[in-house]
Amino acid sequence: MRGTAGIDGLVEAAEAGGADSLVGGCGNWDGWMQVALEEAAVAEAHGDVPVGAVVVDGDGRLLARRHNERELLGSPTAHAEMLALADAAKVIGGWRCSGTTLVVTLEPCPMCAGAAVAARVDRVVYGAADPKAGACASLYRICSDPRLNWAPQVVAGVGADKSARLLKAFFASRRGRAGN
């Protein structure tokens, strides 16, 4: 597992104490969002848009943690959510991720929201809204579309300020380099 000692301690505490150790038993997803933010920082370090994602099971155990790797892998589908869902499915031993929660720093795009539906994720928790590509609430509502056969619960705005600051700083630095 990647991460700093502080994040590893957070993960260990969550795994040892079950879901209540981080989520407070009442839907507080801040701890897992912090792990996703650490993943986002890894993406930024190799030139990818800083988005991180984790998948946890119903007992609060970490199944997967990933970050964007589109630039690193040269793949248009290497979004943090897609990679984390694929890793979680391997851990589970099948494609159905029922009973899991996907926690991601940025509102999923249509591809990633569709993957959450297809994987039968119970819940999608995201930080910053994405008015240009968000597919859970901002632009589309894939996770709540009644025409689809699965509808994960959506929890928006967890760690939104931290997520947005990270993204704004990343794009500001890119614009600054483009002008030089």
Side-chain angles (χ1 to χ4, degrees):
M1 249 188 251
R2 294 182 209 88
T4 64
I7 294 302
D8 288 342
L10 181 67
V11 171
E12 288 170 15
E15 290 173 340
D20 288 348
S21 62
L22 279 183
V23 300
C26 61
N28 180 356
W29 294 98
D30 292 332
W32 288 122
M33 183 59 72
Q34 185 59 44
V35 177
L37 284 162
E38 288 291 324
E39 283 295 316
V42 176
E44 183 175 21
H46 56 69
D48 272 288
V49 176
V51 176
V54 300
V55 179
V56 297
D57 71 11
D59 293 325
R61 287 187 299 259
L62 179 67
L63 299 176
R65 59 187 292 173
R66 294 297 291 266
H67 56 272
N68 273 359
E69 296 184 19
R70 290 189 320 170
E71 298 297 329
L72 185 67
L73 299 177
S75 172
T77 62
H79 289 202
E81 304 95 307
M82 300 292 286
L83 298 170
L85 287 170
D87 287 356
K90 287 178 189 170
V91 171
I92 291 167
W95 63 268
R96 286 181 182 86
C97 294
S98 301
T100 65
T101 298
L102 172 65
V103 180
V104 60
T105 58
L106 180 65
E107 181 180 1
C109 71
M111 174 179 68
C112 295
V117 169
R120 309 296 195 267
V121 168
D122 282 5
R123 183 178 302 105
V124 175
V125 176
Y126 69 86
D130 186 351
K132 293 186 177 184
C136 291
S138 295
L139 190 58
Y140 302 106
R141 295 185 180 272
I142 290 174
C143 292
S144 60
D145 190 323
R147 297 168 294 180
L148 300 175
N149 61 344
W150 191 260
Q153 176 190 13
V154 174
V155 179
V158 176
D161 291 341
K162 289 180 184 177
S163 298
R165 277 196 304 272
L166 187 62
L167 289 160
K168 286 177 184 174
F170 174 81
F171 287 113
S173 73
R174 292 293 220 211
R175 284 189 297 273
R177 270 194 265 158
N180 293 332

